[in-house]
Amino acid sequence: GTMLSESDLRELIGRDVLDREGKSIGNLETFFNDKESGVPEWVGVFTGTLRQHHFLVPVRGAEREGTALRLQWTKEQVQSAPDYGKPDRAISEEMEREAYRHYGLETAAT
Protein backbone atom coordinates (compact mmCIF):
# COMPACT_ATOMS: atom_id res chain seq x y z
CA GLY A 1 0.00 0.00 0.00
CA THR A 2 0.96 3.63 -0.29
CA MET A 3 2.31 5.60 2.65
CA LEU A 4 -0.43 7.19 4.68
CA SER A 5 -0.38 10.95 4.45
CA GLU A 6 -1.00 13.37 7.25
CA SER A 7 -4.48 14.11 5.88
CA ASP A 8 -5.32 10.37 5.78
CA LEU A 9 -4.31 10.05 9.40
CA ARG A 10 -6.18 13.20 10.39
CA GLU A 11 -9.37 11.72 8.93
CA LEU A 12 -8.83 8.52 10.91
CA ILE A 13 -8.39 10.14 14.33
CA GLY A 14 -10.79 8.50 16.76
CA ARG A 15 -11.37 5.53 14.45
CA ASP A 16 -10.65 1.86 15.04
CA VAL A 17 -7.13 0.55 14.88
CA LEU A 18 -6.76 -3.08 13.84
CA ASP A 19 -3.80 -5.38 14.14
CA ARG A 20 -2.45 -7.34 11.20
CA GLU A 21 -4.99 -10.11 11.77
CA GLY A 22 -7.84 -7.61 11.82
CA LYS A 23 -8.31 -7.69 15.61
CA SER A 24 -9.33 -4.40 17.17
CA ILE A 25 -6.58 -2.87 19.32
CA GLY A 26 -8.05 0.53 20.15
CA ASN A 27 -8.53 3.91 18.53
CA LEU A 28 -6.22 6.24 16.69
CA GLU A 29 -5.48 9.05 19.11
CA THR A 30 -2.75 11.02 17.40
CA PHE A 31 0.27 10.80 15.14
CA PHE A 32 3.78 12.15 15.35
CA ASN A 33 5.71 13.53 12.39
CA ASP A 34 9.39 13.01 11.75
CA LYS A 35 11.24 16.12 12.90
CA GLU A 36 13.31 16.43 9.72
CA SER A 37 11.01 15.33 6.91
CA GLY A 38 7.70 16.33 8.48
CA VAL A 39 6.07 13.10 7.33
CA PRO A 40 4.11 10.95 9.79
CA GLU A 41 6.45 8.51 11.51
CA TRP A 42 4.44 7.18 14.44
CA VAL A 43 0.79 6.69 15.28
CA GLY A 44 -0.56 6.88 18.79
CA VAL A 45 -3.07 4.20 19.69
CA PHE A 46 -5.36 4.72 22.64
CA THR A 47 -6.82 1.70 24.45
CA GLY A 48 -8.88 0.99 27.53
CA THR A 49 -11.75 2.74 29.22
CA LEU A 50 -10.80 2.63 32.88
CA ARG A 51 -7.06 2.21 32.67
CA GLN A 52 -6.01 4.07 29.62
CA HIS A 53 -2.90 3.35 27.61
CA HIS A 54 -1.30 5.27 24.79
CA PHE A 55 0.89 3.08 22.62
CA LEU A 56 3.45 4.22 20.11
CA VAL A 57 3.36 2.35 16.78
CA PRO A 58 5.39 2.95 13.61
CA VAL A 59 3.36 4.23 10.65
CA ARG A 60 5.45 1.94 8.44
CA GLY A 61 3.24 -0.69 6.81
CA ALA A 62 -0.01 0.80 8.12
CA GLU A 63 -2.92 0.89 5.70
CA ARG A 64 -6.35 2.38 5.59
CA GLU A 65 -9.08 -0.23 5.63
CA GLY A 66 -12.46 1.42 5.17
CA THR A 67 -12.76 3.76 8.15
CA ALA A 68 -10.18 1.83 10.16
CA LEU A 69 -6.41 1.89 10.34
CA ARG A 70 -4.76 -1.49 9.93
CA LEU A 71 -1.26 -1.97 11.31
CA GLN A 72 1.28 -4.57 10.32
CA TRP A 73 1.91 -5.53 13.95
CA THR A 74 0.07 -7.91 16.26
CA LYS A 75 -2.12 -6.76 19.11
CA GLU A 76 0.41 -8.24 21.56
CA GLN A 77 3.27 -6.25 20.04
CA VAL A 78 1.33 -3.02 20.20
CA GLN A 79 0.13 -3.56 23.74
CA SER A 80 3.66 -4.11 25.02
CA ALA A 81 5.02 -1.04 23.23
CA PRO A 82 6.23 2.12 25.00
CA ASP A 83 3.41 4.28 26.36
CA TYR A 84 3.74 7.92 25.33
CA GLY A 85 1.32 9.20 27.98
CA LYS A 86 0.12 12.56 26.71
CA PRO A 87 -0.86 12.97 23.04
CA ASP A 88 -0.01 16.66 22.90
CA ARG A 89 3.59 16.32 24.08
CA ALA A 90 6.37 15.57 21.63
CA ILE A 91 7.92 12.17 22.09
CA SER A 92 11.53 12.07 23.23
CA GLU A 93 14.29 10.65 21.08
CA GLU A 94 14.89 8.13 23.82
CA MET A 95 11.31 6.90 23.56
CA GLU A 96 11.59 6.71 19.77
CA ARG A 97 14.72 4.58 20.09
CA GLU A 98 13.02 2.35 22.64
CA ALA A 99 9.99 1.97 20.37
CA TYR A 100 12.12 1.18 17.31
CA ARG A 101 13.90 -1.50 19.34
CA HIS A 102 10.60 -2.87 20.55
CA TYR A 103 9.37 -3.36 16.97
CA GLY A 104 12.75 -4.63 15.79
CA LEU A 105 13.28 -1.70 13.43
CA GLU A 106 16.28 0.48 12.79
CA THR A 107 15.89 4.13 13.66
CA ALA A 108 15.21 6.44 10.74
CA ALA A 109 18.30 8.48 11.65
CA THR A 110 21.28 6.24 10.95
Side-chain angles (χ1 to χ4, degrees), residues 2-64:
T2 52
M3 281 292 294
L4 286 164
S5 70
E6 203 169 319
S7 62
D8 288 326
L9 289 170
R10 216 171 261 129
E11 281 174 35
L12 291 169
I13 297 275
R15 302 287 194 167
D16 280 334
V17 176
L18 310 173
D19 80 350
R20 66 170 184 224
E21 283 135 31
K23 281 192 286 210
S24 177
I25 306 175
N27 298 88
L28 181 62
E29 180 175 45
T30 188
F31 57 89
F32 300 94
N33 291 337
D34 177 77
K35 290 172 195 69
E36 275 78 55
S37 66
V39 298
E41 186 177 9
W42 300 96
V43 292
V45 180
F46 162 77
T47 70
T49 38
L50 296 170
R51 292 197 54 228
Q52 295 177 343
H53 297 283
H54 310 264
F55 300 114
L56 206 51
V57 189
V59 165
R60 198 180 301 189
E63 291 183 349
R64 192 173 180 154

Coordinates of all heavy atoms in Angstrom, one line a residue, residues 2-64:
T2 N 0.2 2.4 -0.3 CA 1.0 3.6 -0.3 C 1.1 4.1 1.1 O 0.4 3.7 2.0 CB 0.2 4.7 -1.1 OG1 -1.1 4.8 -0.6 CG2 0.2 4.4 -2.6
M3 N 2.1 5.0 1.3 CA 2.3 5.6 2.7 C 1.1 6.4 3.0 O 0.5 7.1 2.2 CB 3.5 6.5 2.6 CG 4.9 5.8 2.7 SD 5.1 5.0 4.3 CE 5.3 6.5 5.4
L4 N 0.7 6.4 4.2 CA -0.4 7.2 4.7 C 0.0 8.6 4.9 O 1.1 8.9 5.5 CB -1.0 6.7 6.0 CG -1.8 5.4 5.9 CD1 -1.9 4.7 7.2 CD2 -3.1 5.6 5.3
S5 N -0.7 9.5 4.3 CA -0.4 11.0 4.5 C -0.9 11.5 5.7 O -1.8 10.9 6.4 CB -1.0 11.7 3.3 OG -2.4 11.8 3.4
E6 N -0.5 12.7 6.1 CA -1.0 13.4 7.2 C -2.5 13.6 7.2 O -3.2 13.4 8.2 CB -0.3 14.7 7.3 CG -0.3 15.3 8.7 CD 0.7 16.5 8.8 OE1 1.8 16.5 8.3 OE2 0.3 17.4 9.5
S7 N -3.0 13.9 6.0 CA -4.5 14.1 5.9 C -5.3 12.8 6.0 O -6.3 12.8 6.6 CB -4.8 14.8 4.6 OG -4.5 14.1 3.5
D8 N -4.7 11.7 5.5 CA -5.3 10.4 5.8 C -5.4 10.1 7.3 O -6.5 9.7 7.8 CB -4.5 9.2 5.2 CG -4.4 9.2 3.7 OD1 -5.5 9.5 3.1 OD2 -3.4 8.8 3.1
L9 N -4.3 10.3 8.0 CA -4.3 10.1 9.4 C -5.3 11.0 10.2 O -5.9 10.6 11.1 CB -2.9 10.2 9.9 CG -2.0 9.0 9.5 CD1 -0.5 9.3 9.9 CD2 -2.4 7.7 10.1
R10 N -5.3 12.2 9.7 CA -6.2 13.2 10.4 C -7.6 12.7 10.3 O -8.4 12.9 11.3 CB -6.0 14.6 9.8 CG -6.1 15.7 10.8 CD -5.7 17.0 10.4 NE -4.4 17.4 10.8 CZ -3.5 17.8 9.9 NH1 -3.7 17.9 8.7 NH2 -2.3 18.1 10.4
E11 N -8.0 12.2 9.1 CA -9.4 11.7 8.9 C -9.7 10.5 9.8 O -10.8 10.2 10.1 CB -9.6 11.3 7.5 CG -9.8 12.5 6.5 CD -9.9 12.0 5.1 OE1 -10.4 10.9 4.8 OE2 -9.4 12.8 4.2
L12 N -8.6 9.8 10.2 CA -8.8 8.5 10.9 C -8.7 8.7 12.4 O -8.9 7.7 13.2 CB -7.8 7.5 10.5 CG -8.0 6.9 9.0 CD1 -6.8 6.1 8.6 CD2 -9.3 6.1 8.9
I13 N -8.5 9.9 12.9 CA -8.4 10.1 14.3 C -9.7 9.7 15.0 O -10.8 10.1 14.5 CB -8.1 11.6 14.7 CG1 -6.7 12.1 14.1 CG2 -8.2 11.9 16.2 CD1 -5.5 11.8 15.0
G14 N -9.6 9.0 16.0 CA -10.8 8.5 16.8 C -11.4 7.2 16.2 O -12.2 6.6 16.8
R15 N -10.9 6.8 15.1 CA -11.4 5.5 14.4 C -10.7 4.3 15.0 O -9.7 4.4 15.7 CB -11.1 5.6 12.9 CG -11.8 6.8 12.2 CD -13.3 6.6 12.2 NE -13.8 7.6 11.3 CZ -15.1 7.5 10.8 NH1 -15.9 6.6 11.2 NH2 -15.5 8.5 10.0
D16 N -11.2 3.1 14.6 CA -10.6 1.9 15.0 C -9.3 1.6 14.5 O -9.0 2.0 13.3 CB -11.5 0.7 14.5 CG -12.7 0.5 15.4 OD1 -12.7 0.9 16.6 OD2 -13.7 0.0 14.9
V17 N -8.4 1.0 15.3 CA -7.1 0.6 14.9 C -7.1 -1.0 15.0 O -7.5 -1.5 16.0 CB -6.0 1.1 15.7 CG1 -4.7 0.6 15.3 CG2 -6.0 2.7 15.6
L18 N -6.8 -1.6 13.9 CA -6.8 -3.1 13.8 C -5.3 -3.6 13.8 O -4.5 -2.9 13.2 CB -7.5 -3.6 12.6 CG -8.9 -3.0 12.3 CD1 -9.4 -3.4 11.0 CD2 -9.9 -3.3 13.5
D19 N -5.1 -4.8 14.3 CA -3.8 -5.4 14.1 C -3.7 -6.1 12.8 O -4.7 -6.1 12.0 CB -3.4 -6.3 15.3 CG -4.1 -7.7 15.3 OD1 -4.9 -7.9 14.4 OD2 -3.7 -8.5 16.1
R20 N -2.6 -6.8 12.5 CA -2.5 -7.3 11.2 C -3.4 -8.5 10.9 O -3.7 -8.8 9.8 CB -1.0 -7.8 10.9 CG -0.5 -8.9 11.8 CD 0.8 -9.3 11.2 NE 1.3 -10.5 12.0 CZ 2.6 -10.6 12.4 NH1 3.4 -9.7 12.1 NH2 2.9 -11.7 13.0
E21 N -4.0 -9.1 12.0 CA -5.0 -10.1 11.8 C -6.4 -9.6 11.7 O -7.4 -10.3 11.7 CB -4.9 -11.2 12.9 CG -3.7 -12.1 12.7 CD -2.9 -12.4 13.9 OE1 -3.5 -12.3 15.0 OE2 -1.7 -12.6 13.8
G22 N -6.5 -8.2 11.9 CA -7.8 -7.6 11.8 C -8.5 -7.5 13.2 O -9.7 -7.1 13.3
K23 N -7.8 -7.8 14.3 CA -8.3 -7.7 15.6 C -8.3 -6.2 16.0 O -7.3 -5.5 15.8 CB -7.5 -8.5 16.6 CG -7.8 -10.0 16.6 CD -7.2 -10.7 17.8 CE -5.7 -10.9 17.6 NZ -5.1 -12.1 18.2
S24 N -9.3 -5.8 16.7 CA -9.3 -4.4 17.2 C -8.4 -4.2 18.3 O -8.4 -5.0 19.3 CB -10.8 -4.0 17.6 OG -10.7 -2.7 18.1
I25 N -7.5 -3.2 18.2 CA -6.6 -2.9 19.3 C -7.1 -1.7 20.1 O -6.9 -1.6 21.3 CB -5.2 -2.5 18.7 CG1 -4.7 -3.6 17.8 CG2 -4.2 -2.3 19.9 CD1 -3.4 -3.2 17.1
G26 N -7.6 -0.7 19.5 CA -8.0 0.5 20.2 C -8.4 1.6 19.1 O -9.0 1.2 18.1
N27 N -8.2 2.8 19.4 CA -8.5 3.9 18.5 C -7.3 4.8 18.2 O -6.4 4.9 19.1 CB -9.6 4.8 19.1 CG -10.9 4.1 19.4 OD1 -11.0 3.5 20.5 ND2 -11.8 4.0 18.4
L28 N -7.3 5.3 17.0 CA -6.2 6.2 16.7 C -6.4 7.5 17.5 O -7.4 8.2 17.4 CB -6.2 6.5 15.2 CG -5.1 7.4 14.7 CD1 -3.8 6.8 14.9 CD2 -5.3 7.8 13.2
E29 N -5.4 7.9 18.3 CA -5.5 9.1 19.1 C -4.7 10.2 18.5 O -5.2 11.4 18.5 CB -4.9 8.8 20.5 CG -4.9 10.0 21.4 CD -4.5 9.7 22.8 OE1 -3.4 9.1 23.0 OE2 -5.2 10.2 23.7
T30 N -3.6 9.9 17.9 CA -2.7 11.0 17.4 C -1.7 10.4 16.5 O -1.7 9.2 16.3 CB -2.1 11.8 18.6 OG1 -1.4 12.9 18.1 CG2 -1.1 10.9 19.3
F31 N -0.9 11.3 15.9 CA 0.3 10.8 15.1 C 1.4 11.8 15.3 O 1.2 12.9 15.7 CB 0.0 10.6 13.7 CG -0.6 11.8 12.9 CD1 0.3 12.7 12.3 CD2 -1.9 12.0 12.9 CE1 -0.2 13.8 11.7 CE2 -2.4 13.2 12.2 CZ -1.5 14.0 11.6
F32 N 2.6 11.3 15.1 CA 3.8 12.1 15.3 C 4.6 12.2 14.1 O 4.9 11.1 13.5 CB 4.6 11.6 16.5 CG 3.9 11.5 17.8 CD1 3.3 10.3 18.2 CD2 3.9 12.5 18.7 CE1 2.6 10.2 19.4 CE2 3.3 12.4 19.9 CZ 2.6 11.3 20.3
N33 N 4.9 13.4 13.6 CA 5.7 13.5 12.4 C 7.2 13.5 12.7 O 7.7 13.8 13.7 CB 5.4 14.9 11.7 CG 4.0 14.9 11.2 OD1 3.4 13.9 10.9 ND2 3.5 16.1 11.0
D34 N 7.9 13.0 11.7 CA 9.4 13.0 11.8 C 9.9 14.5 11.8 O 9.4 15.3 11.1 CB 9.9 12.3 10.5 CG 11.5 12.3 10.5 OD1 12.1 11.5 11.2 OD2 12.0 13.2 9.7
K35 N 10.8 14.7 12.7 CA 11.2 16.1 12.9 C 11.9 16.7 11.6 O 11.7 17.9 11.3 CB 12.2 16.2 14.1 CG 11.5 16.0 15.4 CD 12.6 15.9 16.6 CE 12.0 15.3 17.8 NZ 11.6 13.9 17.7
E36 N 12.6 15.9 10.9 CA 13.3 16.4 9.7 C 12.4 16.5 8.5 O 12.2 17.6 7.9 CB 14.5 15.6 9.3 CG 15.8 15.9 10.1 CD 15.8 15.4 11.5 OE1 15.7 14.2 11.7 OE2 16.0 16.2 12.4
S37 N 11.8 15.4 8.2 CA 11.0 15.3 6.9 C 9.6 15.9 7.0 O 9.0 16.2 6.1 CB 10.9 13.9 6.4 OG 10.2 13.1 7.3
G38 N 9.1 15.9 8.3 CA 7.7 16.3 8.5 C 6.6 15.3 8.1 O 5.5 15.6 8.1
V39 N 7.1 14.1 7.7 CA 6.1 13.1 7.3 C 5.7 12.2 8.6 O 6.6 12.1 9.4 CB 6.5 12.2 6.1 CG1 6.7 13.0 4.9 CG2 7.8 11.4 6.5
P40 N 4.5 11.7 8.6 CA 4.1 10.9 9.8 C 5.0 9.7 10.0 O 5.3 9.0 9.0 CB 2.7 10.5 9.4 CG 2.2 11.5 8.5 CD 3.4 11.9 7.7
E41 N 5.5 9.6 11.2 CA 6.5 8.5 11.5 C 5.8 7.5 12.5 O 6.1 6.3 12.4 CB 7.7 9.1 12.1 CG 8.8 8.1 12.3 CD 10.1 8.7 12.8 OE1 10.1 9.9 13.2 OE2 11.1 8.0 12.9
W42 N 5.0 8.0 13.4 CA 4.4 7.2 14.4 C 2.9 7.5 14.5 O 2.5 8.6 14.3 CB 5.0 7.5 15.8 CG 6.5 7.3 15.9 CD1 7.4 8.3 15.8 CD2 7.2 6.1 16.2 NE1 8.7 7.8 15.9 CE2 8.6 6.4 16.2 CE3 6.8 4.8 16.4 CZ2 9.5 5.5 16.4 CZ3 7.8 3.9 16.7 CH2 9.1 4.2 16.7
V43 N 2.2 6.4 14.9 CA 0.8 6.7 15.3 C 0.7 6.4 16.8 O 1.4 5.6 17.3 CB -0.2 5.9 14.5 CG1 -0.3 6.3 13.0 CG2 0.0 4.4 14.6
G44 N -0.3 7.1 17.4 CA -0.6 6.9 18.8 C -1.9 6.2 18.9 O -2.9 6.7 18.5
V45 N -1.9 5.0 19.5 CA -3.1 4.2 19.7 C -3.5 4.2 21.2 O -2.7 4.0 22.1 CB -2.8 2.7 19.2 CG1 -4.1 1.9 19.4 CG2 -2.4 2.7 17.8
F46 N -4.8 4.5 21.3 CA -5.4 4.7 22.6 C -6.2 3.5 23.0 O -7.0 3.1 22.1 CB -6.1 6.0 22.5 CG -7.1 6.3 23.6 CD1 -6.7 6.7 24.8 CD2 -8.5 6.1 23.3 CE1 -7.7 7.0 25.8 CE2 -9.4 6.4 24.3 CZ -9.0 6.8 25.5
T47 N -6.0 2.9 24.1 CA -6.8 1.7 24.4 C -7.3 1.8 25.9 O -6.8 2.5 26.7 CB -6.0 0.4 24.4 OG1 -5.1 0.4 25.5 CG2 -5.3 0.2 23.1
G48 N -8.4 1.1 26.2 CA -8.9 1.0 27.5 C -9.9 2.1 27.9 O -9.8 3.2 27.4
T49 N -10.8 1.8 28.8 CA -11.8 2.7 29.2 C -11.4 3.2 30.6 O -11.3 4.4 30.9 CB -13.2 2.2 29.2 OG1 -13.1 0.8 29.6 CG2 -13.7 2.2 27.8
L50 N -11.1 2.3 31.5 CA -10.8 2.6 32.9 C -9.3 2.9 33.0 O -8.9 4.0 33.4 CB -11.2 1.5 33.9 CG -12.7 1.3 33.9 CD1 -13.0 0.0 34.7 CD2 -13.4 2.5 34.5
R51 N -8.5 1.9 32.7 CA -7.1 2.2 32.7 C -6.7 2.5 31.2 O -6.7 1.6 30.4 CB -6.3 1.0 33.2 CG -6.6 0.8 34.7 CD -5.5 -0.1 35.4 NE -4.2 0.4 35.1 CZ -3.2 -0.4 34.7 NH1 -3.4 -1.6 34.5 NH2 -2.0 0.1 34.6
Q52 N -6.3 3.7 31.0 CA -6.0 4.1 29.6 C -4.5 4.0 29.3 O -3.7 4.3 30.1 CB -6.5 5.5 29.4 CG -8.0 5.5 29.5 CD -8.6 6.9 29.3 OE1 -7.9 7.9 29.4 NE2 -9.9 6.9 29.0
H53 N -4.3 3.5 28.1 CA -2.9 3.3 27.6 C -2.8 4.0 26.3 O -3.7 4.1 25.5 CB -2.5 1.9 27.4 CG -2.6 1.1 28.7 ND1 -1.6 1.2 29.7 CD2 -3.5 0.3 29.2 CE1 -1.9 0.4 30.7 NE2 -3.0 -0.1 30.5
H54 N -1.6 4.5 26.0 CA -1.3 5.3 24.8 C -0.1 4.7 24.2 O 1.0 4.9 24.7 CB -1.0 6.7 25.1 CG -2.1 7.4 26.0 ND1 -3.2 8.1 25.5 CD2 -2.3 7.3 27.3 CE1 -3.9 8.5 26.5 NE2 -3.4 8.1 27.6
F55 N -0.2 3.8 23.2 CA 0.9 3.1 22.6 C 1.4 3.7 21.4 O 0.7 4.1 20.5 CB 0.5 1.6 22.3 CG 0.0 0.9 23.5 CD1 -1.3 0.5 23.7 CD2 0.9 0.6 24.6 CE1 -1.7 -0.2 24.8 CE2 0.5 -0.1 25.7 CZ -0.8 -0.5 25.8
L56 N 2.7 3.7 21.3 CA 3.4 4.2 20.1 C 3.6 3.1 19.1 O 4.1 2.0 19.4 CB 4.8 4.7 20.6 CG 5.5 5.8 19.9 CD1 4.6 7.0 19.6 CD2 6.7 6.2 20.6
V57 N 3.2 3.4 17.8 CA 3.4 2.3 16.8 C 3.9 3.0 15.5 O 3.5 4.1 15.1 CB 2.0 1.7 16.4 CG1 2.1 0.5 15.5 CG2 1.2 1.3 17.7
P58 N 4.9 2.4 14.9 CA 5.4 2.9 13.6 C 4.3 3.0 12.5 O 3.5 2.1 12.4 CB 6.5 2.0 13.2 CG 6.8 1.1 14.3 CD 5.5 1.1 15.2
V59 N 4.3 4.1 11.8 CA 3.4 4.2 10.7 C 3.7 3.2 9.6 O 2.8 2.7 8.9 CB 3.4 5.7 10.1 CG1 2.8 5.7 8.7 CG2 2.8 6.7 11.0
R60 N 5.0 2.9 9.4 CA 5.4 1.9 8.4 C 4.5 0.7 8.3 O 4.3 0.0 9.3 CB 6.8 1.5 8.9 CG 7.6 0.8 7.7 CD 9.0 0.4 8.3 NE 9.8 1.5 8.8 CZ 11.1 1.4 9.2 NH1 11.7 0.2 9.0 NH2 11.7 2.4 9.6
G61 N 4.1 0.5 7.1 CA 3.2 -0.7 6.8 C 1.8 -0.5 7.2 O 1.0 -1.4 6.9
A62 N 1.4 0.6 7.8 CA 0.0 0.8 8.1 C -0.8 1.1 6.9 O -0.3 1.8 5.9 CB -0.1 1.9 9.1
E63 N -2.0 0.6 6.8 CA -2.9 0.9 5.7 C -4.3 1.3 6.2 O -4.7 0.9 7.2 CB -3.0 -0.4 4.8 CG -1.7 -0.6 4.1 CD -1.8 -1.8 3.2 OE1 -2.8 -2.6 3.2 OE2 -0.9 -2.0 2.4
R64 N -5.0 2.0 5.3 CA -6.3 2.4 5.6 C -7.3 1.2 5.1 O -7.1 0.7 4.0 CB -6.7 3.6 4.8 CG -7.9 4.3 5.2 CD -8.1 5.6 4.5 NE -9.3 6.1 5.0 CZ -9.6 7.4 5.0 NH1 -8.8 8.3 4.6 NH2 -10.8 7.8 5.4

